[in-house]
Amino acid sequence: MSHIHQELTSQPECWERAAVQAPAHRDALGRPGERIALVGCGTSLFMVQAVAALREAEGLGETDAFAASEFPAGRAYDRVIALTRSGTTTEVLNLLGALRGRVATTTITADPDTPVRQAADDVVVLDFADERSVVQTRFATTALTLLRAHLRLHTPQVVADARTALAAPLPEGLVDRTQFTFLGCGWAAGLAQEAALKMREASLSWTEAYPAMEYRHGPISISTTTTATWMFGPAPEGLAEQVGETGALWIESALDPLAELVRAQRLAVGVAAAKGLDPDRPRHLTRSVVLPTA
């Protein structure tokens, strides 16, 4: 059994632990009204995009999300929160170093025994969600759960939905599709991007992701009888029918979008198995991007 399979199936328990931990980090995760920036790379970027959308939608303060390498140096924030599983990602460490003494910083990581402990003012450790697979699953969703709980948006139903996502069979014929598109609205748009990334990393699949309303503006042209279009959260009116007319397989669920991401992770592992690939060892990738210093 692959590491990723074991790790993704442990997510409900990890989410429960993170939700309990959230109140202890109330200040480090941002107070209501503060202007917050969240940063990350790869999977972490998509997680912080989701959090930024959630926080702003709740009226808790202006919240932006950036790739760590694209942080706008001249913009003022009350706190910058960085998400990094390894604690060694070069872009994150460089940014935290540049912000030292100028703005409060928080890092959420799986490994405290890394340079990130010295780089940030506050460190939140989710070591119980660390992973052996290069491909992230439970750490990213556990960090998102921590932040959802901090925003008072996590409920036990989310965990119940995750267990449903692990137990229910995937739609018939889905693994055999040749292309996968993931859609989401609001905070779920970031999760759709993450689902597509999982498919690329673990199974080398052709995948795309878009805000759902954007799908009609060109991308729907790729839909055909060999493709699948997967909606995270409620779909815009009429979109399911339009996609159905193309012959593509339309997938929509009543589960919480984060639980729906778990189903997409399962699909990535299933497609990898069908192709004879090792989902723990995606080509050209390592656990952390550490760049040589000049």
Side-chain angles (χ1 to χ4, degrees), residues 17-138:
R17 292 185 64 177
V20 171
Q21 187 172 331
H25 304 288
R26 181 179 58 186
D27 291 342
L29 297 178
R31 298 177 180 178
E34 287 186 328
R35 192 170 191 235
I36 301 292
L38 300 113
V39 300
C41 302
T43 287
S44 294
L45 171 60
F46 301 137
M47 295 297 102
V48 298
Q49 287 176 343
V51 174
L54 285 170
R55 189 173 187 268
E56 284 228 356
E58 290 298 302
L60 296 173
E62 186 174 348
T63 314
D64 296 320
F66 303 102
S69 60
E70 299 298 317
F71 184 82
R75 195 172 296 182
Y77 292 98
D78 297 308
R79 181 173 293 272
V80 173
I81 300 174
L83 182 59
T84 168
R85 176 179 64 171
S86 68
T88 60
T89 304
T90 296
E91 298 100 302
V92 172
L93 293 174
N94 287 347
L95 175 60
L96 292 173
L99 295 175
R100 170 71 74 178
R102 295 170 44 203
V103 60
T105 57
T106 299
T107 296
I108 304 171
T109 187
D111 187 354
D113 298 321
T114 57
V116 78
R117 176 175 283 281
Q118 287 73 43
D121 298 319
D122 295 290
V123 179
V124 180
V125 179
L126 302 176
D127 51 357
F128 57 89
D130 203 357
E131 297 157 326
R132 296 179 66 183
S133 178
V134 169
V135 177
Q136 287 198 54
T137 53
R138 72 181 180 191

Side-chain angles (χ1 to χ4, degrees), residues 58-292:
E58 290 298 302
L60 296 173
E62 186 174 348
T63 314
D64 296 320
F66 303 102
S69 60
E70 299 298 317
F71 184 82
R75 195 172 296 182
Y77 292 98
D78 297 308
R79 181 173 293 272
V80 173
I81 300 174
L83 182 59
T84 168
R85 176 179 64 171
S86 68
T88 60
T89 304
T90 296
E91 298 100 302
V92 172
L93 293 174
N94 287 347
L95 175 60
L96 292 173
L99 295 175
R100 170 71 74 178
R102 295 170 44 203
V103 60
T105 57
T106 299
T107 296
I108 304 171
T109 187
D111 187 354
D113 298 321
T114 57
V116 78
R117 176 175 283 281
Q118 287 73 43
D121 298 319
D122 295 290
V123 179
V124 180
V125 179
L126 302 176
D127 51 357
F128 57 89
D130 203 357
E131 297 157 326
R132 296 179 66 183
S133 178
V134 169
V135 177
Q136 287 198 54
T137 53
R138 72 181 180 191
F139 174 75
T141 61
T142 299
L144 179 50
T145 299
L146 174 84
L147 289 158
R148 281 181 89 184
H150 171 66
L151 300 176
R152 299 185 178 181
L153 296 175
H154 174 79
T155 68
Q157 185 59 49
V158 178
V159 175
D161 281 358
R163 292 195 168 102
T164 298
L166 289 169
L170 294 172
E172 185 175 354
L174 180 59
V175 170
D176 300 322
R177 296 282 158 157
T178 60
Q179 191 273 348
F180 304 87
T181 299
F182 298 91
L183 307 176
C185 297
W187 75 286
L191 301 186
Q193 291 285 354
E194 170 60 9
L197 181 62
K198 288 289 88 70
M199 294 297 298
R200 296 185 197 105
E201 290 176 332
S203 67
L204 305 183
S205 294
W206 174 26
T207 61
E208 298 178 324
Y210 303 96
M213 289 295 289
E214 286 296 307
Y215 197 54
R216 297 181 175 98
H217 295 271
I220 196 172
S221 62
I222 65 170
S223 294
T224 184
T225 54
T226 62
T227 67
T229 303
W230 192 328
M231 183 72 210
F232 280 37
E237 184 176 355
L239 184 56
E241 291 76 14
Q242 282 186 271
V243 172
E245 290 170 0
T246 70
L249 176 64
W250 171 262
I251 303 170
E252 190 173 354
S253 171
L255 299 177
D256 182 89
L258 189 58
E260 200 67 12
L261 177 58
V262 175
R263 285 216 302 164
Q265 293 169 348
R266 289 180 56 209
L267 174 64
V269 174
V271 174
K275 293 180 176 181
L277 301 172
D278 180 355
D280 288 329
R281 301 179 184 278
R283 66 182 185 185
H284 313 314
L285 296 180
T286 57
R287 174 178 162 86
S288 174
V289 176
V290 180
L291 302 177

